[in-house]
Amino acid sequence: MPEDDLIDIKFRLYDGSDVGPFRYSSASTVDVLKQRIVSDWPKGKTVTPKAASEVKLISSGKILENNKTVGQCKLPFGEFTGGVIIMHVVVQPSLAKAKTVCQLVWSWP
């Protein structure tokens, strides 16, 4: 794989700490990035994703779609070399879990 095809990405968590940087091929999908975030999530955080589906990645103010590649998500002016792209990570627990908690609260006597 040519060196030019690799992109360095750092993930910024909700508390301002970072995971990475990691080097990805521009053909890697956003879903691959999310799986890496879940597997490398720092221990001891109050919010921890259980699956890649609970993770949202934001780059340049846009929520990235799972089927997009890293190359498709780069900024048009991101042609500079040697830079690290920072993506923000939002953890959003599954809706089913949130509904269960809400039902428990409302059904309390």
Side-chain angles (χ1 to χ4, degrees), residues 16-54:
S17 62
D18 293 331
V19 176
F22 300 112
R23 187 164 277 193
Y24 294 96
S25 160
S26 61
S28 298
T29 63
V30 170
D31 189 55
V32 168
L33 303 183
K34 289 180 176 185
Q35 291 173 19
R36 176 76 181 262
I37 291 167
V38 171
S39 68
D40 288 351
W41 194 264
K43 305 287 186 244
K45 297 286 184 190
T46 56
V47 177
T48 303
K50 308 249 185 301
S53 61
E54 294 182 352

